[in-house]
Amino acid sequence: MQLSTICSSFRSSTAHGFWRFLPLASLLLTACVTTQQSTTSGTGSASDPQWKTHLEELHALRDYQTRGSFVYNSGETKTYAKFFWQQYTPEKYRLLLTNPLGSRELELTVEPDLARLTTKDGQTHMSDVPSELIYQLTGMEIPLDDLTAWLTGSPGRATEFTLDENHLLKSVTFEQNGKKWHLSYLSYDKNTTPMLPSNLELRQGTRLIKLKMDSWTLQK
């Protein structure tokens, strides 16, 4: 499959429409603090029994959903959207980005060895590397392979991280392809069991990604 050929022509026409429309969604970015617990610096370590118990609970999660607000700031351009993330298994998930009217701008489905991205005009593009597919079609660089773990408050493959005073993940530092990512957890949802993030920021150089989770749905 000559994905690079497909993407080069597609990106020049469709991706710019994606960038123009989504900033209107900034009107939907509201702060909700009633169900959130802010993180503060703590002294917990990776060997902390309470952290280990929490991590085991996170690893036991298989089928869950979350929705909220997404911001991507490249340092030159900002993108806003509402997002819906549905995790079916550790290797299979779906990401949907919508505009303020609820119409699809981008839909990504990922399963082992195959990622499929559908745009708002119904065009479908495939690859075996979801992060590269997103980048080539939108210009957004997102570490999707690690975000599946980070979204729930697990360090995933990262070995450099800190905990807050409640034995929850506070920050993560992870290097990939020569680029160092810094992840900060700003708050957690007190109404979920286990407690799951409600606000996080991911930085790499001048790049900033913000995710605000308005709700979580966990399958029992």
Side-chain angles (χ1 to χ4, degrees):
M1 180 183 302
Q2 296 179 338
L3 180 61
S4 59
T5 302
I6 295 174
C7 294
S8 60
S9 59
F10 176 79
R11 185 176 174 185
S12 62
S13 58
T14 306
H16 294 297
F18 177 85
W19 289 97
R20 286 197 302 270
F21 194 82
L22 287 179
L24 295 176
S26 60
L27 298 174
L28 300 177
L29 297 179
T30 58
C32 177
V33 298
T34 56
T35 62
Q36 296 182 2
Q37 174 174 292
S38 298
T39 58
T40 55
S41 298
T43 58
S45 68
S47 59
D48 188 338
Q50 289 179 263
W51 162 246
K52 287 185 174 181
T53 298
H54 178 70
L55 194 58
E56 289 174 358
E57 294 176 339
L58 296 181
H59 290 165
L61 294 176
R62 287 294 181 270
D63 189 345
Y64 55 86
Q65 304 172 11
T66 185
R67 63 181 69 244
S69 303
F70 166 87
V71 178
Y72 185 94
N73 187 345
S74 68
E76 299 178 354
T77 308
K78 280 187 178 182
T79 300
Y80 302 87
K82 301 298 287 184
F83 81 91
F84 173 73
W85 184 291
Q86 185 168 14
Q87 192 85 28
Y88 302 100
T89 70
E91 296 82 24
K92 184 178 180 180
Y93 61 89
R94 170 175 171 254
L95 170 63
L96 175 66
L97 297 182
T98 60
N99 60 38
L101 301 179
S103 299
R104 178 184 66 191
E105 289 289 330
L106 177 156
E107 183 173 1
L108 176 72
T109 58
V110 177
E111 54 189 78
D113 301 321
L114 178 64
R116 181 183 292 105
L117 188 149
T118 304
T119 60
K120 63 181 179 181
D121 56 4
Q123 295 190 47
T124 299
H125 307 266
M126 293 180 288
S127 171
D128 56 354
V129 183
S131 57
E132 290 185 4
L133 190 58
I134 287 279
Y135 176 72
Q136 292 180 9
L137 296 180
T138 70
M140 295 189 294
E141 188 169 351
I142 305 173
L144 284 170
D145 290 343
D146 298 286
L147 192 60
T148 56
W150 295 343
L151 197 63
T152 61
S154 168
R157 298 183 296 169
T159 57
E160 185 179 346
F161 58 88
T162 64
L163 305 179
D164 68 9
E165 62 181 7
N166 297 303
H167 314 278
L168 302 173
L169 201 59
K170 172 67 176 176
S171 66
V172 174
T173 301
F174 184 67
E175 186 169 339
Q176 184 180 41
N177 300 325
K179 297 180 179 180
K180 185 168 287 189
W181 293 86
H182 298 279
L183 175 63
S184 299
Y185 290 87
L186 306 182
S187 61
Y188 282 80
D189 190 332
K190 296 186 295 185
N191 292 334
T192 61
T193 304
M195 288 180 62
L196 298 172
S198 56
N199 203 335
L200 61 85
E201 293 183 354
L202 182 60
R203 297 177 182 271
Q204 190 280 310
T206 60
R207 189 175 293 106
L208 171 64
I209 301 171
K210 293 183 178 182
L211 288 174
K212 177 182 175 293
M213 282 65 81
D214 295 330
S215 65
W216 286 90
T217 301
L218 309 181
Q219 300 298 324
K220 301 299 183 180

